[in-house]
Amino acid sequence: MAETITSVPANGNSPAANSPSSEVYAVFGAEPEVQAYAMAKYSRSSLSMKESLKEISAQKAEKFLNTFYFQYGHRSIADLAHIAVAVERLSILAAIAVADEQRWDGQERSTRYQDFRKSGYYTPDFGSDQGARELYQRTLEGLFADYEALSEKMFRYLAEITPKPAEMKQEGYERTLKARAFDISRYLLPLATNTSLGEIVNARTLESQVSHLLSHTHKEIRLVGELLKHAATSPAYNVNHDSLRSLVERIREVSPELGARADAELLKEVRVSPTLVKYADPNTYEIETRRELRQIASELMGDAIDQAPSVDLLDDEPLDVELVSTLVYEHCEYPYRQIRRSIADLSQARRQEILDAGLRHRGRHDEMLRPFRAGQQFRFDILMDIGGFRDMHRHRRCVQIEQSFTTHHGYEIPPELGPAGALNTYKTTMERTSSAVKTLGNSPVPEAAENSQYAIPLGFRKRTLFKMDFAEAVYISELRTGPAGHASYRSVAYAMFQEVKRKHPALAQYFRVHDVRQPVDLLQR
């Protein structure tokens, strides 16, 4: 009969004679790179984790990682060093870029549970164009004023149509309705809005994340990449520093010699990844490929944008057609079907040239770009508001190919605005902002198009290609149609289910979705 593996105390005491021989214990207190080295030694040494950690110093870890990680390319070693990082006061636009990583784990400020009217906003560099800077500031200030007014108006409206149950506390009632009101007013929040996020990632992911951010089209995001790199290689914030400092001083009063030793041991500076992230630089492969593919997309797609459904489950196609279409998709604003039609009309030789452009600049250790993660059977071309996209963006098992932020696809109109008497004001704000974005994009300063995107409110639509397997299609449809969710992604998730049902009717019975056409209890959380 097989033995059951149980955990034993981590103090090293031997288990009883009749206990399993396996030993399982958690490890705490080792610096991330030291721990990564100790775990990597399992493949090269018979030492236990405790024995390895006792013999390893930070210097040994750095020497080992420099050899095996950078010289020999054993990049999986960095998967073993996990790092917690806080990124604060960055724009929502930049936060989307930071979180755009499949191996990312993190949390961002919620537009449902927090009031963003006092968050402030990011202002890009407009150089000598004072007129553009003033237009930008007027536009942003107007959006925040309208956001505040709409939040209050929607709360009053929702309170009028939703009586408080007798058993519900007033505080909980108001908190729930405020969250629902923020769900509506968030459509006016601009991408420039300041937010904060925290992430826990391994060093390998952090290195590729930093490299990607340093290669980005937006100056702010490149700066965030530099700050992430600096945070990983500089002394980290020690939450226990003040209490430990007090303890060291008390020890010093008793014994100066012990105090000095305690100071060296307890208050030493710790750098969470001084070795594994130090060589993260802008990615030439990404930068040069983006430049070439943008030119190709511009030459290939010159027609007006076709009308397309908000959620489109795509048909099967040859792999080379999917690869080329996806490469072009990221660098234009057209629906996938329209792009694929143009690709299908090309000669095989021309399609091969586009594929070559996607790989020509690939370096020795570069992963293929995301469009090459192809072959999934369930591929949805989705056009939805930016705020709803941010929620869908969290689904890491999807391969997501994003198009850029734009006002060209129009904006969503929450149905509650009409009955609340806020529809005309909302439309006026969105149209005025759209005009300002266009003017800002025509500024003569560098990166004017990128600068203008910060003024785009979350209610404007964005196109993204979501590729996934059947299990993920079921998971998203079930999770995101729940009545407590935001109306935007509920509608998208239900449309995904309907598209699968249309194309694969025999599979529809396996989806446990909520019908979004049914009335919602606004007090349900």
Side-chain angles (χ1 to χ4, degrees):
M1 185 174 69
E3 285 188 322
T4 301
I5 296 178
T6 59
S7 64
V8 300
N11 58 15
N13 293 337
S14 299
N18 60 349
S19 298
S21 60
S22 300
E23 185 176 8
V24 181
Y25 52 91
V27 177
F28 173 77
E31 297 172 23
E33 291 192 351
V34 170
Q35 184 163 295
Y37 179 17
M39 289 189 174
K41 286 192 71 173
Y42 273 132
S43 69
R44 297 166 177 82
S45 169
S46 61
L47 294 179
S48 71
M49 176 66 67
K50 297 172 188 175
E51 292 169 330
S52 291
L53 286 171
K54 287 177 182 177
E55 78 160 27
I56 295 173
S57 65
Q59 290 79 11
K60 281 187 177 181
E62 181 178 1
K63 181 178 179 181
F64 169 83
L65 295 171
N66 275 324
T67 300
F68 285 90
Y69 187 73
F70 294 110
Q71 293 184 27
Y72 298 164
H74 295 181
R75 302 179 70 81
S76 62
I77 295 172
D79 294 342
L80 305 173
H82 282 75
I83 299 161
V85 182
V87 187
E88 300 176 349
R89 294 184 303 280
L90 75 167
S91 71
I92 288 178
L93 188 151
I96 291 173
V98 171
D100 188 34
E101 165 57 58
Q102 280 189 285
R103 295 165 294 198
W104 188 82
D105 293 306
Q107 285 286 334
E108 184 187 344
R109 289 182 63 193
S110 170
T111 55
R112 166 175 282 190
Y113 301 116
Q114 297 190 47
D115 187 344
F116 276 73
R117 59 185 166 179
K118 296 181 180 180
S119 297
Y121 58 86
Y122 173 77
T123 300
D125 182 8
F126 289 99
S128 60
D129 194 339
Q130 184 63 25
R133 183 180 296 103
E134 292 174 355
L135 173 61
Y136 179 85
Q137 292 173 342
R138 286 197 307 272
T139 301
L140 271 289
E141 295 295 340
L143 284 171
F144 277 102
D146 291 342
Y147 164 79
E148 181 177 2
L150 184 59
S151 297
E152 295 173 356
K153 190 164 193 172
M154 293 312 305
F155 173 75
R156 292 195 300 269
Y157 167 72
L158 295 176
E160 290 174 2
I161 65 172
T162 313
K164 184 182 78 66
E167 68 278 6
M168 192 175 193
K169 293 183 178 180
Q170 183 68 24
E171 181 183 359
Y173 170 74
E174 292 184 2
R175 183 172 60 249
T176 302
L177 289 188
K178 283 182 179 179
R180 294 291 188 177
F182 287 147
D183 273 353
I184 299 168
S185 60
R186 83 173 189 186
Y187 285 79
L188 292 177
L189 282 175
L191 281 166
T193 305
N194 284 338
T195 185
S196 297
L197 57 83
E199 67 176 32
I200 300 177
V201 295
N202 64 53
R204 183 180 184 180
T205 298
L206 181 60
E207 183 193 30
S208 63
Q209 181 188 46
V210 168
S211 180
H212 171 68
L213 296 177
L214 292 176
S215 310
H216 207 276
T217 53
H218 291 64
K219 183 178 181 179
E220 180 204 10
I221 298 174
R222 296 193 295 272
L223 176 59
V224 170
E226 293 174 4
L227 293 174
L228 270 174
K229 181 177 179 178
H230 180 75
T233 55
S234 302
Y237 168 71
N238 184 348
V239 66
N240 297 311
H241 186 274
D242 290 343
S243 61
L244 290 174
R245 167 64 68 184
S246 177
L247 177 60
V248 166
E249 293 305 321
R250 295 189 64 180
I251 294 174
R252 200 187 306 274
E253 291 173 1
V254 176
S255 170
E257 181 180 352
L258 285 178
R261 182 177 175 185
D263 190 312
E265 291 291 331
L266 299 178
L267 299 177
K268 65 178 180 180
E269 293 181 340
V270 174
R271 292 166 170 78
V272 292
S273 189
T275 308
L276 293 171
V277 182
K278 66 181 179 181
Y279 294 126
D281 293 315
N283 189 310
T284 301
Y285 173 38
E286 182 176 340
I287 294 171
E288 291 302 314
T289 303
R290 179 173 62 227
R291 179 183 58 79
E292 289 193 23
L293 289 177
R294 278 187 170 183
Q295 182 63 32
I296 290 171
S298 176
E299 295 170 355
L300 184 66
M301 306 299 299
D303 300 329
I305 299 175
D306 286 354
Q307 292 295 317
S310 296
V311 177
D312 186 8
L313 178 57
L314 303 170
D315 302 320
D316 296 337
E317 60 195 345
L319 183 58
D320 68 320
V321 173
E322 179 189 349
L323 287 170
V324 176
S325 300
T326 307
L327 284 168
V328 172
Y329 179 94
E330 186 176 5
H331 301 286
C332 62
E333 299 174 352
Y334 294 82
Y336 185 90
R337 287 185 186 272
Q338 186 175 359
I339 296 170
R340 183 176 61 187
R341 192 167 62 244
S342 297
I343 297 300
D345 291 338
L346 299 178
S347 66
Q348 182 61 43
R350 179 54 177 153
R351 288 203 292 267
Q352 191 66 48
E353 289 176 0
I354 298 175
L355 272 179
D356 290 344
L359 291 169
R360 182 178 300 118
H361 301 284
R362 185 184 177 208
R364 178 184 175 189
H365 297 302
D366 288 325
E367 293 184 10
M368 284 188 175
L369 296 175
R370 190 175 298 177
F372 287 97
R373 300 174 193 173
Q376 296 84 353
Q377 185 167 350
F378 292 88
R379 298 172 298 129
F380 297 88
D381 186 8
I382 298 178
L383 181 66
M384 66 185 304
D385 62 278
I386 299 170
F389 160 76
R390 291 173 70 237
D391 295 310
M392 293 286 288
H393 193 212
R394 298 173 189 158
H395 291 280
R396 305 294 166 196
R397 282 181 54 199
C398 298
V399 175
Q400 301 180 25
I401 310 297
E402 297 181 45
Q403 293 186 352
S404 62
F405 301 104
T406 180
T407 58
H408 294 166
H409 301 305
Y411 52 86
E412 295 290 343
I413 300 177
E416 298 89 349
L417 294 179
L423 180 58
N424 289 337
T425 300
Y426 176 82
K427 286 185 174 181
T428 299
T429 298
M430 297 298 263
E431 294 298 333
R432 181 180 66 243
T433 304
S434 180
S435 176
V437 169
K438 183 177 180 180
T439 300
L440 291 169
N442 291 328
S443 170
V445 302
E447 298 187 15
E450 288 78 10
N451 291 347
S452 71
Q453 293 174 358
Y454 285 99
I456 299 176
L458 301 185
F460 278 88
R461 300 187 185 103
K462 180 183 191 298
R463 187 178 294 282
T464 308
L465 188 61
F466 288 81
K467 302 183 179 186
M468 65 196 75
D469 57 28
F470 174 66
E472 185 68 0
V474 172
Y475 174 73
I476 293 176
S477 297
E478 292 182 351
L479 176 69
R480 294 300 184 183
T481 56
H486 193 284
S488 173
Y489 64 68
R490 290 190 74 218
S491 298
V492 167
Y494 194 73
M496 290 172 62
F497 158 68
Q498 290 180 311
E499 282 288 283
V500 175
K501 181 179 180 180
R502 176 185 61 81
K503 190 172 181 181
H504 305 282
L507 299 178
Q509 61 181 311
Y510 302 112
F511 286 73
R512 298 179 295 192
V513 298
H514 292 80
D515 190 339
V516 301
R517 297 167 294 186
Q518 299 298 318
V520 171
D521 179 359
L522 293 179
L523 299 178
Q524 184 174 355
R525 298 287 295 276

